[in-house]
Amino acid sequence: MRTLFSFVLCALLAMTCWAETTPAITNKDMLQAAIRQVTQLKITKQTDSLFYSPTTGIEDCCSWSALECFNSQLLNIPTSNKDLQAKLHKNLRKKVIVSSVDRCTVEQKAKVKCQSCNSYPMIDSHEFMKNLLSLLQKSFMQLP
């Protein structure tokens, strides 16, 4: 019994030390990771496929909607690295990324009418990825 108690005590102590020494992942870290993933994702071929793409003129407090639009189509982008594509898609849905892109309060968002995804212009996959990268970089630059 004493051995089991000692083992549990050591395990708890180890977990506490690990939790204290492991740095917290910040919004900047997660956004940087997403930016890196976008730049690493290579488009395999030019297709006739077009994608709705929010452009650089996204209205204030509509960045979250634009991010949602990008992410809803991301898995349709032609690439050979499907694992990285899936990881990016998953990361763009994480609360820490969404909150980094969306810096408005609920009240501010209620006053704004954001465009629906299918009202944005349709462009090819390369331009789509450039616009996504631009949105993430803009959000990164606005972080404190």
Side-chain angles (χ1 to χ4, degrees), residues 35-68:
I35 290 168
R36 195 170 36 256
Q37 289 168 345
V38 169
T39 58
Q40 291 171 349
L41 195 62
K42 302 291 182 225
I43 308 301
T44 54
K45 58 186 178 238
Q46 188 66 24
T47 65
D48 293 337
S49 299
L50 296 175
F51 302 91
Y52 294 107
S53 179
T55 56
T56 54
I58 299 167
E59 192 171 336
D60 288 342
C61 298
C62 289
S63 295
W64 63 273
S65 175
L67 181 65
E68 217 172 67

Side-chain angles (χ1 to χ4, degrees), residues 25-42 67 70-71 74 83-101 128-141 143:
I25 296 175
T26 65
N27 289 19
K28 277 192 170 191
D29 294 335
M30 286 298 294
L31 209 46
Q32 272 184 320
I35 290 168
R36 195 170 36 256
Q37 289 168 345
V38 169
T39 58
Q40 291 171 349
L41 195 62
K42 302 291 182 225
L67 181 65
F70 281 118
N71 208 27
L74 186 63
D83 291 338
L84 180 60
Q85 186 177 30
K87 187 175 183 177
L88 176 61
H89 178 69
K90 181 180 176 183
N91 284 343
L92 292 180
R93 289 183 294 165
K94 289 185 177 178
K95 187 175 182 177
V96 68
I97 298 281
V98 173
S99 66
S100 296
V101 171
F128 176 88
M129 294 304 289
K130 284 181 189 176
N131 288 348
L132 172 57
L133 181 60
S134 176
L135 174 67
L136 294 174
Q137 288 172 333
K138 178 184 170 193
S139 299
F140 181 79
M141 295 306 289
L143 287 176

